[in-house]
Amino acid sequence: MRRAVAVFWRTRSFSSSNCLPKFPLVSLDRHDIWYPPPSPPLHLRPHYNDHQTTTEIDGKLIANDIKAALATEVNYMKNSIKHVPGLGIVLVGKRKDSLSFVRIKKRACEKVGITSEVVNLPENCTEGEVLDAVSELNNKESVHGILVQLPLPSHLSEQKIINAVNVEKDVDGFHPVNIGNLAMTGREPLFIPCASRGCIEVLHRCGVEIIGKKAVVIGRSQITGLPTSLLLQRHHATVTVVHSSTKNPEEITREADILVSDVGVPNLVLGHWLKPGVVVIDMGSTLVTDSKGSRVTGDVCYEEAILKASLITPVPGGVGPVTISMLLYNTVEAAKRAYQWTGKS
Amino acid sequence: MRRAVAVFWRTRSFSSSNCLPKFPLVSLDRHDIWYPPPSPPLHLRPHYNDHQTTTEIDGKLIANDIKAALATEVNYMKNSIKHVPGLGIVLVGKRKDSLSFVRIKKRACEKVGITSEVVNLPENCTEGEVLDAVSELNNKESVHGILVQLPLPSHLSEQKIINAVNVEKDVDGFHPVNIGNLAMTGREPLFIPCASRGCIEVLHRCGVEIIGKKAVVIGRSQITGLPTSLLLQRHHATVTVVHSSTKNPEEITREADILVSDVGVPNLVLGHWLKPGVVVIDMGSTLVTDSKGSRVTGDVCYEEAILKASLITPVPGGVGPVTISMLLYNTVEAAKRAYQWTGKS
């Protein structure tokens, strides 16, 4: 047996004002740009298990059920303490998708009796103006939840602005205190990001056991991928996060019992990325325009995935509506906490 | 092809005061109690690659190098602004291991010229007394870093006490704001937990490329496993966290290019858990007493691992000393920030 246990040491030069070599503290961030690996032609891909029965999860139905229950609760709140929950939305600029999301959120609030107000700021506003708007909502007693519609124009610091949201009104769950408490065992964040919470809600409602399961999350965005991976881990799944630096992602996803994707690349996840019987939660949402017109599509190739998955969320109509209902839920929770009202006994 | 895409719905009863079924918000926490899977006898385990040259990483040498550079820097600070960094330690009770850790930390501070003070509280002190001690250190100008020696007696809320540490003095990096910022892409925490930072420091110094590598972290403790997994992910490794609910952990660890273990179970990681050429960072530390006497041992069966690993940290003498030097480093950083002193130009 040839083996050598050697003492390793590599010298580096240090200046006294620079005790550690200049590695970046948490590494350089890189944009997660995806170059999907080339797919073998369909007839060469691994054999499909086409005897699988796939169940499509109807997110609208789940969302409507939650909204109906919330509407009853808000009504009861109104009757018993003469207050209703309020949501404040900060919207900067006129991005089409942001305008559309804000419209959907406002309409959903109306539906359950939550008041909502939108602070509209011009595209070229200053950071100070956004911070003032947040601060005003922080101080407003009738506003219990605040969300800053992302993304913000690039001249504004998302970090500074999100940090300015009162943790107790952070219904998006993006404040680092809430993310930190989500990550840390034994702690509870005040709010969990809506999409992540929606994902777990869907899994629970469909009776999917999470504990001990292999979960793979594709994407590590702050608003979805990262908190979903943390939340799945808090539910005792064995979680792997796949991102654009991952080599051979399809080898890793093929091990998953639960696969969550949130990268915004249509058809990234093909049939041969999936293990037969996998539960697929497709959180991607990309507007695609082609000869068939414009439509929203997820990250998963639905036609191939339904030949492998046991459960799958479609796009649209899957996790999206549940995410919106979770925002309403978080807002109602925020109001209940603010009024120290525990609801119907 | 038989397949059915059915619309899934499972009814649940909701009361209006309970819009979502009572799933725990972030699931029930469970103690990570490890029952190592039975190991096949040595002659039946997969063939060892015994032609591997294993390099043992000398953590003491790395730590001494960092400490020497820090000592020079502290001395320079003293001469140029007449201040030195100060560390405040809150120690509750008289746990043998805690006393020993505090002694080591104090001695390390002395070595580089950092002043340190220990606030000793009795085992049966109240939470208020600990919070007062923290608050006093928060307000003390000569103290730039504060650490609360863990674990605390069970009648005290670790969460409340750690949250009370000023984020700018949180040299242990355990405050949720620092953990949240560690998790979130694009952000930088003020401090990174010392053991995690030590792990990355060791990898960097040994020239181990992290980006795109498969990293497996065994254990998800708040002080080591969790932040290490987050930090490896920030360095663009594809990270899987293995914990006590993971089925067949050895199948997952065998895929790892970088394996980090931090669970405190001696000999959990045997040779057949490892891929030939893996880099093993053993963060476990357990006091074992047997016929050979008392000694500290890690999670990895060193004798088997050196037949597989390309690089390995021993226990003791591996990541431990580097961790202590990272605490000193964080304290010096804290002082530099407090005095807005950037060091030698």
Side-chain angles (χ1 to χ4, degrees), chain B residues 200 203 210 215 217 228-237 239:
Chain B
I200 296 291
L203 293 176
I210 303 173
V217 178
T228 304
S229 68
L230 296 174
L231 190 53
L232 283 165
Q233 188 164 304
R234 289 295 297 272
H235 284 263
H236 313 297
V239 183

Side-chain angles (χ1 to χ4, degrees), chain A residues 305-319:
Chain A
I306 50 172
L307 302 177
K308 298 291 268 302
S310 58
L311 277 168
I312 186 167
T313 57
V315 177
V319 182

Side-chain angles (χ1 to χ4, degrees), chain A residues 132-145:
Chain A
D132 285 348
V134 169
S135 159
E136 203 171 302
L137 292 173
N138 278 342
N139 295 325
K140 210 163 187 172
E141 269 182 40
S142 61
V143 169
H144 310 98

Side-chain angles (χ1 to χ4, degrees), chain B residues 3 7 57 61-62 67 86 107-108 115 133 139 158 162 172 176 188 202 218 241 246 255 258 300 306 319-320:
Chain B
R3 78 178 166 83
V7 171
I57 298 165
L61 216 53
I62 297 179
K67 281 192 240 171
R107 206 178 301 148
T115 62
N139 295 325
E158 222 164 87
I162 285 175
D172 257 345
E188 278 213 356
V202 163
I218 312 178
V241 177
T246 301
E255 298 290 316
I258 298 167
V300 178
I306 50 171
V319 182

